[in-house]
Amino acid sequence: MTDDMTGARIVVHALREQGVDTVFGYPGGAVLPIYDEIFLQSDIRHVLVRHEQGAVHAAEGYARSTGKPGVVFVTSGPGATNSVTGLTDALMDSIPIVVITGQVPTFLIGSDAFQEADTVGITRPCTKHNWLVKDADRLAPTLHEAFHVAVAGRPGPVLVDIPKDVQFASGRYTKANPSNSQYQPSLTADEASIEALVDAIETAQKPLFYTGGGVINSGIKASKLLCQLVDATRFPITSTLMGLGAYPGSGRCWLGMLGMHGLYEANMAMHDCDLMINVGARFDDRITGRIDAFSPHSTKAHIDIDPSSINKIIHVDIPIIGDTAHVLKAVLAFWQSRGCKTNVEGVSDWWRQISEWQKVDCLAYESSCSTIKPQHALARLEALTQERKDRFICTEVGQHQMWAAQYLKFEEPNHWMTSGGLGTMGYGLPASIGVQLAHPDALVINVAGEASWLMNMQEMGTAVQYNLPVKQFILNNERLGMVRQWQELLHQERYSHSWSEALPDFVKLAEAFGAKGIVCKHPDQLDEVIMEMIEYDGPVLVDCLVEKHENCFPMIPSGKPHNEMLLATSASDDGVDEKGAVMV
Amino acid sequence: MAALKIKKGATSRSAYNLRPTFSDDIERHTLAVVVENEPGVLARVIGLFSGRGYNIESLTVAEVDHMGGLSRITIVTNGTPQVITQITAQLSRIVPVREVHDLTVEGATVERELAMFDVAGTGKKRLEALRLADIFRARVVDSTLKSFIFEITGTPEKIDAFAELMRPLGLRELVRTGVAALPRGE
């Protein structure tokens, strides 16, 4: 009977056994027993956020920057429903998160009790899996299984709902044994598919690596193997928003990000290649553009751990189901054993073609000496921080996010935290808090837009409470920039509700929270302000007043193929047809 | 493609046809899904179909292994081959799903459905209903002077045919269980 303890204590024990050092959360009636246990110990640090959505995004920042699952405590009812956006965000981007929710006691479930919500019902479609635990003896095995499911295979968010009486009840603690779990996704791929890919690598004239978040989720090893394979084959490589950093931005085969706001050379290469090697990406609609005109002449290989990703959007020729690191290792070994052959002549011609596209200089923009151009602000931020190996960048969602992806260079995986699949405004500030907690001495910058930032600005209180030196770098155009851009291109410049008429004074706002605020109004001040921001030891906000009507280019308009990009220099208003306007 | 020596969907060395060929025809498939019988598992399966816009023609579920706590769900669905492949892959992703079989692809199957028909009538109509029931090997499981309840087991097509015949003979109500299916022996 020595292993018996209360449900609440089982929760804390299980977290400790799982190696959890930080929990993000917000207390409430239905989780009080767990919070009592948190109070009575000191090895798991609890970080009090200001809103449950912030807790999940902070846990995502923690998870994305460490590769470990992020853990969240919230109460029943509104606590659980407020976590839904974060859960969906983590599901779309395959981020391992464990959310533990309090629930009304079992005997009140179904009675519309105070702060009751059908948490497992509501979160079923936005978690990888979830559980309601009605028996304290089932609590330890369920929590261990939750951690296993969150990280095994394609990672994702899970939720464990624990009624208050189960937290008080006595139950048996059992140790984790993940090999006992029924959930065991296979990691290694079929040999025939590896051989088919190596055949293709040996003969391709216009090959291209197209990589995604799956490389980063597979761990540092996968990124290293990817770099080895790319550098050995000398094949060009592009990446999705989620995959930035797996291959270094300074690497010689790097073409830059692809997709709707990707680089011209990357998208042209996608369109014209004869061998596309998709490593851990999922042919998202931001990447493919018009499906029937997507890379029409290529043989497509697709490495993914999730069989449902294969042939979901794009029909592939060489499906390879397995963990990225395992597959890349096998491909590399097999290719080397056959003599490291590539079509050297063909690939050199391909690079000559690519360098022609690179000459277009698609990221060029009209500079100004009186107004701060957002691209210029990011170029300066890059110039002044690129030496810092410990630089982590978070973003909110919108134009600034795309500019950050275009103008900043990422040298290592897990240093770029952005909401890709769900596109959640309000993600960046809480995520930067999670990153800073995991990396206390690092330089953590949230590149933000003022509208997104306001969505979860309450978390500035969290940053101040824990004295986290997060840098909030707000590109303030007083507009919902991306919405405004689409209205200009698609809706004949009818700017319906895409600007804010009553923005706060951001400097005073930062000061009201107890943080530092700096305003930057002129291009001449930029370097000084950025340096002041970096050097300040504590939470700091920069209100960078930028050009209000800048559009984000290059851009593949909705419903267009990759080779019909709009560039800043040639943008016209006939970019989107009626069919494309339906797309988002 | 000319640049690459491999044929689409095959490698120069292996005989495997890696690329499945998909057509645009809508096909009807019967899926067998073995799940751990935990709370909410059926909601997960149904939520997947509604959330991703797939069709359910029929669905049956019951625990088949009481000791192991396993239930078997039989789903009849329709879609293009690409959609059907997606459905099986998406079902396999659900954590408590142990096995997914596309019985239509895996070989010949035996498919059966049970239905009950409440048919009211007197005189010639009543006699004709009883005669047809005999031909279809339907059993009478309830009888009054003015009505019968027939129980019939068979393929969905057989039950459809029987329903067509009963309609003019006083069919008041009918209930069907949906399809249960097993693969035939080798």
Side-chain angles (χ1 to χ4, degrees):
Chain A
M1 293 301 284
T2 50
D3 288 343
D4 274 20
M5 56 183 92
T6 65
R9 185 159 290 183
I10 288 175
V11 172
V12 173
H13 267 245
L15 260 48
R16 194 176 288 127
E17 191 184 332
Q18 292 291 341
V20 175
D21 54 24
T22 307
V23 173
F24 303 88
Y26 203 101
V31 277
L32 284 178
I34 296 176
Y35 271 85
D36 210 26
E37 286 297 329
I38 286 291
F39 187 84
L40 295 171
Q41 56 86 54
S42 56
D43 45 348
I44 296 173
R45 172 179 48 175
H46 180 276
V47 178
L48 177 69
V49 295
R50 298 298 182 268
H51 185 285
E52 290 88 349
Q53 184 190 349
V56 186
H57 292 324
E60 283 188 273
Y62 178 95
R64 287 189 207 222
S65 66
T66 61
K68 294 189 339 189
V71 183
V72 173
F73 283 165
V74 296
T75 192
S76 63
T81 56
N82 278 343
S83 71
V84 164
T85 301
L87 286 168
T88 312
D89 191 271
L91 185 72
M92 290 288 268
D93 286 346
S94 304
I95 307 302
I97 299 288
V98 179
V99 174
I100 293 168
T101 51
Q103 181 57 279
V104 299
T106 49
F107 52 86
L108 284 180
I109 288 178
S111 70
D112 296 329
F114 178 66
Q115 292 195 330
E116 182 186 358
D118 175 10
T119 301
V120 288
I122 290 167
T123 60
R124 201 174 281 130
C126 61
T127 51
K128 189 175 169 187
H129 197 58
N130 62 15
W131 297 262
L132 168 66
V133 185
K134 288 179 164 178
D135 172 1
D137 282 338
R138 291 297 311 153
L139 202 45
T142 305
L143 285 163
H144 294 316
E145 174 79 356
F147 275 88
H148 170 67
V149 169
V151 299
R154 181 178 179 172
V158 298
L159 180 145
V160 183
D161 198 25
I162 312 175
K164 197 173 180 182
D165 56 335
V166 176
Q167 298 171 32
F168 277 123
S170 180
R172 201 171 55 181
Y173 186 80
T174 47
K175 282 197 160 35
N177 189 356
S179 56
N180 260 358
S181 169
Q182 289 290 341
Y183 184 74
Q184 303 291 350
S186 108
L187 300 173
T188 53
D190 169 42
E191 274 178 31
S193 61
I194 305 259
E195 188 179 342
L197 175 56
V198 171
D199 283 348
I201 287 174
E202 287 175 344
T203 51
Q205 292 191 333
K206 298 193 269 182
L208 178 67
F209 282 101
Y210 146 49
T211 64
V215 181
I216 290 162
N217 277 339
S218 181
I220 301 271
K221 211 170 120 196
S223 296
K224 285 196 173 133
L225 286 160
L226 176 73
C227 295
Q228 268 183 45
L229 185 62
V230 171
D231 291 338
T233 55
R234 290 222 55 199
F235 289 178
I237 174 170
T238 179
S239 160
T240 66
L241 184 71
M242 297 306 303
L244 295 176
Y247 184 84
S250 59
R252 63 177 182 170
C253 299
W254 178 241
L255 299 188
M257 181 178 78
L258 82 159
M260 183 174 271
H261 292 289
L263 271 65
Y264 179 74
E265 47 269 40
N267 284 328
M268 290 301 282
M270 281 293 271
H271 189 268
D272 281 10
C273 66
D274 72 352
L275 171 64
M276 177 189 298
I277 310 170
N278 173 342
V279 191
R282 59 184 179 90
F283 295 110
D284 180 88
D285 54 66
R286 298 292 100 161
I287 300 305
T288 58
R290 204 174 104 201
I291 299 274
D292 59 4
F294 174 70
S295 193
H297 311 297
S298 60
T299 294
K300 297 174 185 74
H302 187 183
I303 302 170
D304 204 301
I305 197 163
D306 180 356
S308 77
S309 287
I310 308 285
N311 292 330
K312 183 169 73 177
I313 312 284
I314 296 292
H315 203 171
V316 297
D317 304 284
I318 309 173
I320 306 177
I321 298 164
D323 165 62
T324 307
H326 284 76
V327 172
L328 287 173
K329 195 175 173 197
V331 170
L332 197 60
F334 193 64
W335 177 71
Q336 283 167 339
S337 76
R338 291 219 316 215
C340 299
K341 280 178 286 196
T342 57
N343 184 338
V344 178
E345 207 177 306
V347 175
S348 311
D349 286 347
W350 179 225
W351 271 111
R352 264 190 288 283
Q353 170 63 65
I354 288 169
S355 63
E356 289 301 313
W357 289 325
Q358 285 170 327
K359 283 182 196 151
V360 169
D361 193 14
C362 67
L363 293 183
Y365 57 93
E366 216 176 296
S367 58
S368 162
C369 37
S370 54
T371 318
I372 303 174
K373 289 286 190 158
Q375 301 96 324
H376 178 61
L378 287 168
R380 291 317 301 158
L381 183 69
E382 169 68 10
L384 295 170
T385 60
Q386 64 185 3
E387 301 287 294
R388 293 282 298 260
K389 284 221 174 285
D390 61 345
R391 183 190 74 175
F392 291 80
I393 302 287
C394 301
T395 74
E396 305 285 345
V397 169
Q399 286 183 320
H400 67 273
Q401 178 190 27
M402 294 298 110
W403 281 317
Q406 293 170 340
Y407 291 91
L408 304 180
K409 276 198 164 68
F410 301 96
E411 298 298 315
E412 281 178 82
N414 303 104
H415 284 60
W416 163 246
M417 272 56 59
T418 193
S419 170
L422 194 64
T424 310
M425 291 172 72
Y427 168 85
L429 167 54
S432 69
I433 288 170
V435 175
Q436 191 80 72
L437 278 155
H439 309 273
D441 301 323
L443 172 63
V444 182
I445 303 168
N446 177 31
V447 177
E450 84 290 346
S452 281
W453 193 84
L454 285 173
M455 280 205 183
N456 269 326
M457 66 164 183
Q458 76 285 347
E459 298 308 329
M460 212 51 186
T462 311
V464 171
Q465 178 172 342
Y466 296 92
N467 194 30
L468 303 170
V470 289
K471 322 292 182 195
Q472 305 300 318
F473 191 66
I474 301 177
L475 300 173
N476 184 351
N477 60 2
E478 301 171 16
R479 302 286 182 281
L480 314 185
M482 196 59 98
V483 172
R484 196 210 63 81
Q485 176 169 347
W486 280 54
Q487 288 172 336
E488 181 184 322
L489 297 175
L490 272 87
H491 296 273
Q492 291 77 46
E493 301 181 46
R494 290 187 296 276
Y495 298 122
S496 182
H497 299 271
S498 54
W499 74 92
S500 313
E501 291 193 37
L503 284 170
D505 177 329
F506 281 93
V507 172
K508 282 188 188 157
L509 184 61
E511 287 166 0
F513 275 111
K516 183 183 173 69
I518 316 168
V519 68
C520 185
K521 294 178 174 171
H522 196 275
D524 292 346
Q525 301 172 308
L526 253 177
D527 282 23
E528 198 185 317
V529 166
I530 291 172
M531 288 316 292
E532 193 183 350
M533 171 185 88
I534 294 168
E535 280 159 14
Y536 182 71
D537 184 22
V540 49
L541 178 156
V542 170
D543 182 16
C544 187
L545 305 176
V546 298
E547 163 64 48
K548 296 180 179 29
H549 301 109
E550 192 73 9
N551 280 340
C552 182
F553 290 114
M555 176 182 186
I556 303 176
S558 296
K560 296 281 184 184
H562 280 169
N563 58 350
E564 293 182 31
M565 293 197 82
L566 295 179
L567 299 174
T569 45
S570 63
S572 62
D573 56 0
D574 62 345
V576 181
D577 56 22
E578 218 171 285
K579 219 171 157 187
V582 180
M583 314 276 283
V584 288
Chain B
M1 269 318 291
L4 283 170
K5 286 190 193 117
I6 63 163
K7 274 193 301 178
K8 275 211 162 186
T11 77
S12 56
R13 280 149 197 270
S14 78
Y16 291 89
N17 186 355
L18 293 164
R19 178 177 182 154
T21 45
F22 289 143
S23 80
D24 290 331
D25 298 335
I26 303 284
E27 297 175 358
R28 179 177 177 277
H29 283 240
T30 306
L31 310 177
V33 187
V34 179
V35 300
E36 288 169 36
N37 192 10
E38 62 174 47
V41 66
L42 186 61
R44 285 178 210 285
V45 170
I46 293 171
L48 174 88
F49 277 76
S50 62
R52 292 186 184 266
Y54 306 140
N55 298 314
I56 297 179
E57 274 188 24
S58 89
L59 183 146
T60 64
V61 56
E63 191 169 80
V64 291
D65 176 354
H66 299 306
M67 292 295 286
L70 296 179
S71 289
R72 184 172 170 122
I73 305 174
T74 308
I75 304 170
V76 180
T77 182
N78 56 53
T80 64
Q82 189 265 339
V83 167
I84 301 285
T85 310
Q86 261 300 295
I87 292 174
T88 54
Q90 293 289 351
L91 283 169
S92 307
R93 238 157 67 109
I94 298 175
V95 171
V97 167
R98 292 275 192 90
E99 291 171 40
V100 179
H101 296 282
D102 184 343
L103 298 177
T104 307
V105 167
E106 288 178 15
T109 56
V110 183
E111 296 196 2
R112 287 293 178 269
E113 190 174 0
L114 184 141
M116 289 193 284
F117 290 77
D118 180 352
V119 181
T122 52
K124 274 187 184 168
K125 280 190 171 177
R126 181 173 165 85
L127 275 178
E128 183 62 8
L130 199 60
R131 201 178 65 84
L132 286 167
D134 190 45
I135 293 170
F136 274 79
R137 295 190 190 157
R139 291 199 306 136
V140 176
V141 292
D142 179 62
S143 175
T144 69
L145 290 174
K146 291 178 186 167
S147 71
F148 290 121
I149 293 179
F150 297 120
E151 175 202 298
I152 180 168
T153 311
T155 62
E157 292 75 21
K158 177 180 168 182
I159 291 167
D160 286 342
F162 190 64
E164 281 309 304
L165 292 170
M166 287 301 116
R167 225 170 287 279
L169 298 176
L171 177 62
R172 286 198 300 201
E173 207 176 346
L174 99 89
V175 60
R176 304 169 67 144
T177 57
V179 171
L182 280 178
R184 286 183 185 273
E186 302 272 313

